[in-house]
Amino acid sequence: MTELRQTPFHDLHVSLGAKMTGFAGWDMPVAFAGTIEEHLHTRSAASLFDVAHMAIVDLPSGSAEPLERLVPSDIVGLGLGRSRYTALTTESGGILDDCIVTNHGDHLGLVVNASRRDVVLPHLRSHLGDDSVIERTDLALLALQGPEAIAVLADLGAAVGDLYAMEGAEATVAGVPVWLSRSGYTGEDGGELRVPVDAAVGLAERLLADERVAPAGLGARDTLRLEAGLCLYGNDLDETTSPIEAGLTWTIQRRRREGGAFLGEERILAELRDGPRRLRVGLRPEGRRPARPPATLRNDAVGEVGVITSGTYGPSIEAPVSMGYVAESLAEPGTRVLADVRGSEVACEVVGLPFVPSGAQRRPRG
């Protein structure tokens, strides 16, 4: 068996009584006080998540145009300090990984899923050149999420009041220089911090010393992102799934729709024009029983029509929530389908996403 890798925060997690589990080759905390308690604390105050298992990749200045050949999003037009969620696509129009791209001014930064590191880094190097792709193992990632997160950071010296969602800047938190982005993957307001490894544990301890902050694990991260209608690679996204099918059309700006010139453009632009054969949707199962993957979905009129890719109990709404793919003709909210849950049929209603309104503070228009 391959030994699990450890983030810089591993010993801190153990000292806090975390229940640890293997995830994407890493030994990660699944829960501290319990998933539901951590979930609800994130929605009401602030929770600290270890996301240092994800890969931080830097690309040199001038990489925007070459990177645009690998993603369908507008990277050239990405403003200084701005971040953009996008998808690295395959030649056949599937999703190699979903990632965040940030314009740091003198370079571009990418945050790549831990489970896709060994696929994405060779892919980037093959297209951009070995010397252009630098994995920043000297940095670690922390995510402070929840409605109190920005206030906590401000109290530790971070001047982030002028930042809005998906905007970032260099900052100092408790005396530690970081790159602070007002972003996250929980549906809540908050910040993600790129912090030097040698200062990472000390900063985490300072954040946890605030009574508003509690540690949270992968369990709460999963229930939060699902309530927020956000995808998990390997569940809701894979190399057979296009950005259009996944409901990520919004990541493809007008200039890229008109210009193309990216991997998989033939399929993706055709689906933009003609519609995909299936779509990712929200699903609300009836009753209290969650409908989890890989439950199949069927419709009495036509038989099997799709599959559930994510499902759990939603602590914020006190009811089960799921996401999955259904035939495009059945993707309208209000449509009813049946999920095969371990041999029993559970009625589900197609609903719009997200299940819980976003707490992200977006920059006002105009």
Side-chain angles (χ1 to χ4, degrees), residues 22-47:
F23 178 77
W26 294 77
D27 196 18
M28 297 294 293
V30 66
F32 294 85
T35 292
I36 292 178
E37 183 175 338
E38 293 163 25
H39 177 114
L40 295 175
H41 186 83
T42 308
R43 292 274 187 245
S44 63
S47 294

Side-chain angles (χ1 to χ4, degrees), residues 201-221:
V201 173
L203 179 54
E205 290 173 335
R206 285 294 303 275
L207 290 166
L208 289 169
D210 190 303
E211 63 181 8
R212 294 167 288 185
V213 180
L218 292 177
R221 185 170 165 82

Side-chain angles (χ1 to χ4, degrees), residues 59-77 86-97 99 101 108 110 123-129 132-133 243 252-253 255-257 259-266 268-269:
L59 306 177
S61 176
S63 298
E65 287 189 12
L67 185 59
E68 280 196 352
R69 294 195 286 270
L70 308 182
V71 303
S73 301
D74 179 2
I75 306 301
V76 171
T86 189
L88 289 158
T89 48
T90 67
E91 291 185 2
S92 60
I95 298 175
L96 193 74
D97 193 24
C99 61
V101 181
L108 293 177
L110 278 70
H123 176 75
L124 292 173
R125 289 176 175 136
S126 70
H127 288 277
L128 305 179
S132 295
V133 181
I252 309 175
Q253 289 72 36
R255 181 176 69 82
R256 303 311 313 281
R257 300 184 192 197
F262 54 85
L263 289 180
E265 63 177 289
E266 182 176 356
I268 292 169
L269 295 181

Side-chain angles (χ1 to χ4, degrees), residues 97-350:
D97 193 24
D98 60 328
C99 61
I100 299 289
V101 181
T102 300
N103 180 3
H104 290 274
D106 59 352
H107 69 280
L108 293 177
L110 278 70
V111 177
V112 174
N113 283 305
S115 64
R116 302 299 286 171
R117 170 191 265 103
D118 293 341
V119 174
V120 170
L121 266 64
H123 176 75
L124 292 173
R125 289 176 175 136
S126 70
H127 288 277
L128 305 179
D130 288 347
D131 295 337
S132 295
V133 181
I134 301 171
E135 184 176 5
R136 296 296 303 272
T137 56
D138 59 320
L139 298 175
L141 277 176
L142 282 169
L144 187 66
Q145 301 285 286
E148 297 288 344
I150 297 302
V152 170
L153 292 168
D155 287 348
L156 289 175
V160 295
D162 293 336
L163 295 179
Y164 288 88
M166 301 300 279
E167 298 178 359
E170 293 180 352
T172 300
V173 181
V176 178
V178 304
W179 176 270
L180 174 57
S181 174
R182 196 163 184 175
S183 58
Y185 215 64
T186 62
E188 288 297 329
D189 193 11
E192 293 182 303
L193 293 77
R194 286 176 31 146
V195 56
V197 166
D198 58 5
V201 173
L203 179 54
E205 290 173 335
R206 285 294 303 275
L207 290 166
L208 289 169
D210 190 303
E211 63 181 8
R212 294 167 288 185
V213 180
L218 292 177
R221 185 170 165 82
D222 189 54
T223 56
L224 289 159
R225 70 90 194 167
L226 181 47
E227 284 188 349
L230 301 173
C231 297
L232 176 64
Y233 196 93
N235 282 47
D236 312 297
L237 307 175
D238 59 30
E239 293 188 28
T240 70
T241 305
S242 78
I244 312 306
E245 290 178 323
L248 302 179
T249 302
W250 58 271
T251 67
I252 309 175
Q253 289 72 36
R254 177 181 293 181
R255 181 176 69 82
R256 303 311 313 281
R257 300 184 192 197
E258 296 173 350
F262 54 85
L263 289 180
E265 63 177 289
E266 182 176 356
R267 173 186 175 184
I268 292 169
L269 295 181
E271 289 182 354
L272 274 172
R273 182 182 64 248
D274 303 327
R277 63 182 179 84
R278 60 175 190 157
L279 280 171
R280 178 174 63 95
V281 296
L283 295 159
R284 287 290 302 269
E286 289 185 354
R288 306 289 292 178
R289 189 178 182 186
R292 307 180 191 274
T296 57
L297 298 168
R298 73 173 187 86
N299 175 277
D300 284 334
V302 296
E304 188 171 322
V305 294
V307 64
I308 285 178
T309 53
S310 286
T312 190
Y313 173 78
S316 301
I317 59 177
E318 300 182 328
V321 291
S322 299
M323 291 194 304
Y325 287 83
V326 299
E328 190 274 338
S329 61
L330 299 174
E332 189 70 22
T335 303
R336 297 179 67 81
V337 293
L338 297 170
D340 182 354
V341 180
R342 297 180 181 178
S344 299
E345 288 189 340
V346 175
C348 301
E349 181 181 353
V350 174

